Amino acid sequence: MYSGSHLQVLIPIFLVGIACLIPLVNRIKPGLSQTIALMAVTVSLIAATSLFMRILNTPGGYLDYFVGFSWNGDTFLSTGQPIGIVQRGDIFGGIMLMLVNGIGLLVTIYSGKYIPHEIDKNKISNYYTMLLLMLAGMSGITMTGDCFNFYVFLEVATISSYVLVAIPSDGRSLEASYKYMLIGALGSILVVFGIVLLFSATGTLNMAYAATQIEKIMTAPAGSSLAELKQLIYASVGLFTIGFGIKSAFFPTHAWLADAHPAAPSSISALLSGLVVKTTGIFLLVRFLFSVFNIHKYPYGQTLHIIFLVVATITTIAGSLFAIAQTDLKRMLAYSTISQMGYILIGIGFLTPLGLSAGILQMFNHAISKSLLFLSAGAIIWKTGIRDIRKLTRVGHKMPLTMTCFTIGACSLVGIPPLNGFMSKWALAEASMDSGVMFMVAVLMLSSLLNAIYYFRVVGIAFFGASDDSESVTEPTGKSEIPFTMALPLVILSVATLYFGIKVGMMEHLISRAVHLLWL
Amino acid sequence: MLAHIDYIMTVVLFGVGLYGLVIKTNLIKKLIGLNIMETSVYLFFIAMGDVRFGTSTAQWAKAPFIHNPAHAARGLEPMVNPIPTALILTAIVVSVCVTALALSIAVVIYKRYGTLDTRKLSNLKG
């Protein structure tokens, strides 16, 4: 019964507890917020690593943790469903948990020197509170096995991200946060509607038990009482798809991302583009569609197959086309996020194990690369105050380390070997040839070309742009260009980009184990 | 038809809320539209979770009992499942949170720009 580790619930609880502690400590002795946040996220990362190692060594591949698991000595009800809420941590969730905590730690280190430049001094403790809450919510989402649980953590993560987008408090971020909030709440309420229909058809909120109930419903003979519930299942699948689609910014509903991600502080943009849009959007979409609804087994999978491929193609191409037209650096990166999320959906939309693992690999690699890009864009803004691409001439000579890291991230997303972006695009192309949809290979190549256009434009202007001022353009200054705590995450992420590109075999092995579990 | 009045009202309220969220240009009216839409979903679930009305879902609308022969021998009446109410209370709390946050941002926007109209706001920011 109880095979899980306490860490599955302790990580979110611990982060929430420390997040509530920060305003209290700030009232007594201000200035300690960053230290507390740093210690909390470090502890959380160590805990997440130990939990992930334990998940990897479990023979079944997942750990079930029953919260409140027995009543009068019974763990299961007479119907077979567990009494308590089940936290199920499998390998897919473990990968995302490591990603959330790892990139969260790097962003917390980076925020130390970056944040005082961007927001008011007396809002810094609020910033760290919301940052810890967002990390707690996302860590909780990755470990859920129950619909109730995931909804609570989903809302914790998204509401803290609404606050974080609004923290700079200038007109643009307020309006972007309001728009983000309205559209995000629309997505959430559609997800609630989906949970409602799922519960009314299966009678349980537990994901694993709901999967067995759905199997009974979908294989019931026509005309029986169970077969009438099929329509509820169809409606539930549709609502979940649209709800999570809004949260991951697919084509018709991508408008909020282009405003919210540039308006946030750069460290938060890195977290939003790299993690939130994935954990709250695509991770949950995969979790529901493959673990609960089993779309690879039932006929509604075929409809979703076509819809996903069409939406993903449009998202990828349209995102890149919009990005080419941008002049603001962070807005360009935000449209690039929309385009890369299209890649993940292409991988998922094939409904084959190869496609799903290519999609998850792209999710992992994009999280690392996009965080790297946003953090280095933030470093450029911190040092020079320039956000306009056309004015970034010769920045590569003033800030060589930052621009090198930016170039590594850009090359990874364009798809240059041996960086990790190339590996995931290769996996996607392999998956598309394996499932016979040759058209996708052309879409992938076209999109790589479009990515190259707008990324290499920035790199070209930064390194080779014609300079009009002649003051100290080529000689390096004595002191370092950006503080060590800001340079360290950039270097670590660049090394990670290279590492996960060369050691892609390890990631593919891990992901194939995760997909095997999801495919059951 | 009138027996399903709950579900019809859900659809009507959802439509009204969606209209308010999308078509209206005042920030507060958009927020009220969102609230109406969320309320319709809660109504749907509570209506479904009732033992009297949910005909196709009556088997789960009763709270599942732990098998206890002593209770079964006394023939207890079905209770309404507590899970829908608990989930909807959680969702209501979330909705209140989002409303509070949106209103506070609207207050700051009004203080800074003097208007709550989205058309004027997008012109002002330039």
Side-chain angles (χ1 to χ4, degrees), chain A residues 235-262:
Chain A
S236 182
V237 171
L239 282 168
F240 272 123
T241 308
I242 299 182
F244 289 129
I246 291 179
K247 289 220 176 281
S248 26
F250 294 142
F251 168 64
T253 60
H254 62 285
W256 59 267
L257 200 143
D259 282 322
H261 287 201

Side-chain angles (χ1 to χ4, degrees), chain A residues 95-105 134-135 138-139 142 271 275 279:
Chain A
I95 296 175
M96 295 305 293
L97 184 69
M98 290 299 298
L99 208 57
V100 164
N101 284 315
I103 298 185
L105 177 64
M134 194 159 80
L135 290 177
M138 288 195 285
S139 303
T142 57
L271 271 182
L275 290 175
T279 345

Side-chain angles (χ1 to χ4, degrees), chain A residues 74 155 169 171 175 178 200, chain B residues 27 60 66 94 112-113 125:
Chain A
D74 287 325
E155 288 305 318
S169 298
E175 202 235 352
Y178 202 90
S200 70
Chain B
L27 287 181
W60 66 261
I66 309 243
V94 166
R112 193 181 298 251
Y113 291 111
K125 284 191 307 80

Side-chain angles (χ1 to χ4, degrees), chain A residues 3 18 68 141 145 183 187 222 225 295 324 327 344 362 419 435 446 461:
Chain A
S3 66
I18 302 289
I141 290 177
I183 300 183
S225 64
I295 58 175
I324 294 178
T327 54
I344 303 177
Q362 166 70 11
L419 298 172
S435 72
L446 176 63
I461 291 179

Side-chain angles (χ1 to χ4, degrees), chain B:
Chain B
M1 192 68 148
L2 218 52
H4 299 295
I5 187 72
D6 299 324
Y7 309 131
I8 296 175
M9 280 316 291
T10 299
V11 174
V12 168
L13 281 175
F14 197 92
V16 167
L18 200 58
Y19 165 80
L21 181 60
V22 174
I23 307 283
K24 292 289 183 185
T25 55
N26 192 341
L27 287 181
I28 304 292
K29 288 187 186 173
K30 281 182 190 284
L31 186 63
I32 294 180
L34 178 70
N35 265 314
I36 295 176
M37 203 163 60
E38 292 178 335
T39 307
S40 77
V41 176
Y42 306 153
L43 169 67
F44 184 71
F45 199 18
I46 303 286
M48 245 187 183
D50 197 6
V51 181
R52 290 167 295 163
F53 290 114
T55 47
S56 76
T57 58
Q59 73 263 19
W60 66 261
K62 302 186 279 261
F65 284 104
I66 309 243
H67 180 67
N68 191 337
H71 282 233
R74 282 186 293 166
L76 287 180
E77 288 186 1
M79 354 184 253
V80 173
N81 201 340
I83 285 185
T85 335
L87 184 60
I88 295 302
L89 274 173
T90 310
I92 290 179
V93 167
V94 166
S95 165
V96 164
C97 210
V98 171
T99 306
L101 189 56
L103 283 174
S104 55
I105 293 185
V107 163
V108 179
I109 290 181
Y110 187 70
K111 266 195 221 162
R112 193 181 298 251
Y113 291 111
T115 174
L116 278 178
D117 196 325
T118 50
R119 290 168 299 197
K120 294 205 192 94
L121 281 174
S122 53
N123 286 340
L124 274 176
K125 284 191 307 80

Side-chain angles (χ1 to χ4, degrees), chain A residues 27-338:
Chain A
R27 183 65 71 101
I28 302 173
K29 183 175 163 55
L32 276 185
S33 319
Q34 208 247 346
T35 327
I36 300 177
L38 204 54
M39 289 193 305
V41 182
T42 316
V43 169
S44 164
L45 179 63
I46 297 172
T49 316
S50 117
L51 179 59
F52 186 50
M53 286 297 140
R54 187 161 161 190
I55 292 178
L56 283 181
N57 294 332
T58 321
Y62 61 87
L63 289 174
D64 266 342
Y65 181 81
F66 291 71
V67 182
F69 61 87
S70 76
W71 183 28
N72 283 347
D74 287 325
T75 314
F76 291 91
L77 294 171
S78 57
T79 49
Q81 53 179 340
I83 290 182
I85 289 183
V86 175
Q87 288 268 74
R88 166 176 292 220
D90 61 353
I91 300 180
F92 186 30
I95 296 175
M96 295 305 293
L97 184 69
M98 290 299 298
L99 208 57
V100 164
N101 284 315
I103 298 185
L105 177 64
L106 291 176
V107 165
T108 316
I109 297 176
Y110 181 92
S111 306
K113 281 281 163 54
Y114 178 77
I115 283 303
H117 165 258
E118 181 116 356
I119 63 180
D120 267 349
K121 209 158 58 73
N122 44 2
K123 288 196 190 147
I124 291 183
S125 69
N126 297 344
Y127 169 84
Y128 283 111
T129 310
M130 288 299 152
L131 179 67
L132 284 184
L133 278 177
M134 194 159 80
L135 290 177
M138 288 195 285
S139 303
I141 290 177
T142 57
M143 285 283 127
T144 59
D146 190 280
C147 298
F148 205 125
N149 218 355
F150 107 82
Y151 179 64
V152 172
F153 282 126
L154 174 74
E155 288 305 318
V156 167
T158 51
I159 293 182
S160 353
S161 67
Y162 300 155
V163 176
L164 281 171
V165 170
I167 263 189
S169 298
D170 54 329
R172 179 176 56 181
S173 44
L174 288 174
E175 202 235 352
S177 170
Y178 202 90
K179 185 190 297 194
Y180 176 26
M181 204 181 316
L182 289 180
I183 300 183
L186 173 62
S188 287
I189 206 61
L190 287 175
V191 164
V192 170
F193 213 153
I195 297 177
V196 164
L197 291 175
L198 178 67
F199 185 53
S200 70
T202 60
T204 174
L205 283 177
N206 188 4
M207 288 189 197
Y209 188 68
T212 60
Q213 294 290 87
I214 289 176
E215 187 172 335
K216 278 189 231 161
I217 292 175
M218 295 303 292
T219 55
S224 72
S225 64
L226 278 183
E228 292 167 354
L229 298 176
K230 270 190 202 171
Q231 295 173 356
L232 288 173
I233 301 289
Y234 295 158
S236 182
V237 171
L239 282 168
F240 272 123
T241 308
I242 299 182
F244 289 129
I246 291 179
K247 289 220 176 281
S248 26
F250 294 142
F251 168 64
T253 60
H254 62 285
W256 59 267
L257 200 143
D259 282 322
H261 287 201
S266 297
S267 47
I268 296 302
S269 294
L271 271 182
L272 281 177
S273 266
L275 290 175
V276 172
V277 83
K278 289 186 191 55
T279 345
T280 61
I282 293 225
F283 170 81
L284 284 172
L285 189 67
V286 169
R287 170 71 82 209
F288 267 94
L289 290 184
F290 283 94
S291 294
V292 179
F293 290 109
N294 286 321
I295 58 175
H296 49 282
K297 291 186 197 161
Y298 301 126
Y300 43 75
Q302 296 311 311
T303 322
L304 281 180
H305 173 71
I306 302 174
I307 292 180
F308 278 167
L309 287 181
V310 169
V311 166
T313 314
I314 300 178
T315 309
T316 315
I317 306 287
S320 298
L321 286 177
F322 279 130
I324 294 178
Q326 298 304 317
T327 54
D328 184 41
L329 182 63
K330 287 174 67 173
R331 208 174 157 91
M332 178 192 93
L333 291 175
Y335 274 115
S336 166
T337 301
I338 298 177

